[in-house]
Amino acid sequence: LVGKKEKRRQYFALVAEVANGRHDPPKMKKLGKKKFKKVAPNDFTGLCEDATGETEVEKMVKALLTVQQATEKTPEWKKKFQAGDKGAQADGRANTVTEKALFERMFSHVTVNINKEIFSGYDTIGINILVCEIMSQVLLLSEGYDPEEGHIHAESTFYQYQLKLAQYGGVAMVISVVAECKEEELVKAAVRFGNLMCYGGNKHVQKLIFDYFCETKKAAFFCKSKEYI
C-alpha cells in the first residue's frame, strides 16, 4: 500500500507502535515532512493526525476500501499500458486484490492466531487488536452510521458493510475470540466491533450469527460471555 521503501518502513513502524499501545511513539516524529500531532484520547492509543485532521487509521481504511480498484486491470489502465504509458507499465497489476480476499485474510489472521505468537518482529496480539479496531473504523466511517439513531436504513453503506464484514469472517472472528481468547484487550476490541456489526438490529447479520452457532456448536462462547458479564 505504500510505494517507496523508506515510507513503507516508516508506515509499518507506526503500525507496530500503535499495535503495542505506546502513548508516545518516537517513530511518529520521523514520519516524512508533514507535522503530526497527537489525537485527543480515544480508543486508538497513540494515533496521530495530519494537518487535515485525518488519522493513520482513517488512511488505512481508505486504502483497504480502494485496493481492489487500485489493482484491477481496468479498460483505462489497459489502454495506457498498451500505449506505452510509463506510469501504467511501472504499475504491472499482476493480480487483482479483491476487497473480499483482503478482508477475509485480515479476519483469518485474528481467528487463526487468537492465542499464538508469530515471531515476525511485531506483537501478534497487538496486531489482532488493531485489525479489530480498523474493522470498527470501516463501519464508523461508513455513510449511514448515526450513534444517536438506533434505526439503520438497509440501503445505507453502513448496513451493507455490516453484512459484508459479517460474511467476510467477522462473525466467526468475534465469536471465536470471545470463546477462546485469553487476552482481555483483544476480547474487548472484538466485542466493540461485534456491537457495531449488529448495531441497529441488522437482521441479516443476526441470521449469520445464528447459522454460525448452529454449524459450529460453539457453546464455549456462552460460558466465557457469562464470565465477562
Side-chain angles (χ1 to χ4, degrees), residues 1 25 50 54 59 74 77 96 104 110 113 133 141 149 162 193 203 213 224:
L1 298 180
D50 61 20
E54 189 175 43
K59 291 177 183 176
T74 61
W77 175 84
T96 298
E104 283 180 345
V110 180
N113 302 298
E133 300 291 15
L141 295 172
E149 175 57 59
Q162 282 181 311
F193 166 68
K203 63 181 181 181
F213 277 125
K224 291 297 291 289

Side-chain angles (χ1 to χ4, degrees), residues 104-122:
E104 283 180 345
R105 187 70 176 269
M106 294 177 73
F107 280 125
S108 175
H109 185 278
V110 180
T111 306
V112 173
N113 302 298
I114 289 177
N115 294 312
K116 297 178 183 177
E117 182 62 47
I118 302 174
F119 297 100
S120 61
Y122 300 112

Side-chain angles (χ1 to χ4, degrees), residues 28-43:
M28 289 183 183
K29 299 174 183 177
K30 302 178 181 178
L31 292 177
K33 297 180 181 180
K34 288 186 178 180
K35 293 182 179 179
F36 289 83
K37 59 181 179 178
K38 292 286 291 291
V39 170
N42 56 24
D43 290 337

Side-chain angles (χ1 to χ4, degrees), residues 164-201:
K164 281 185 178 182
L165 296 184
Q167 293 172 328
Y168 292 163
V171 168
M173 187 271 286
V174 172
I175 293 174
S176 297
V177 168
V178 174
E180 303 169 18
C181 186
K182 300 174 184 177
E183 296 287 340
E184 189 171 337
E185 290 305 310
L186 177 53
V187 174
K188 288 179 181 178
V191 169
R192 281 195 293 269
F193 166 68
N195 285 341
L196 283 169
M197 194 167 55
C198 296
Y199 184 77

Side-chain angles (χ1 to χ4, degrees), residues 40-82:
N42 56 24
D43 290 337
F44 310 102
T45 306
L47 282 178
C48 55
E49 62 185 19
D50 61 20
T52 66
E54 189 175 43
T55 68
E56 289 300 316
V57 163
E58 289 172 339
K59 291 177 183 176
M60 279 192 272
V61 168
K62 283 185 178 180
L64 290 172
L65 296 179
T66 57
V67 69
Q68 181 168 329
Q69 179 184 351
T71 57
E72 278 183 327
K73 294 183 177 180
T74 61
E76 182 182 359
W77 175 84
K78 288 180 180 178
K79 185 177 180 180
K80 289 182 178 180
F81 186 85
Q82 292 169 355

Side-chain angles (χ1 to χ4, degrees), residues 211-225:
D211 290 344
Y212 185 81
F213 277 125
C214 290
E215 180 182 343
T216 63
K217 314 295 184 188
K218 231 176 183 72
F221 172 87
F222 300 100
C223 298
K224 291 297 291 289
S225 296

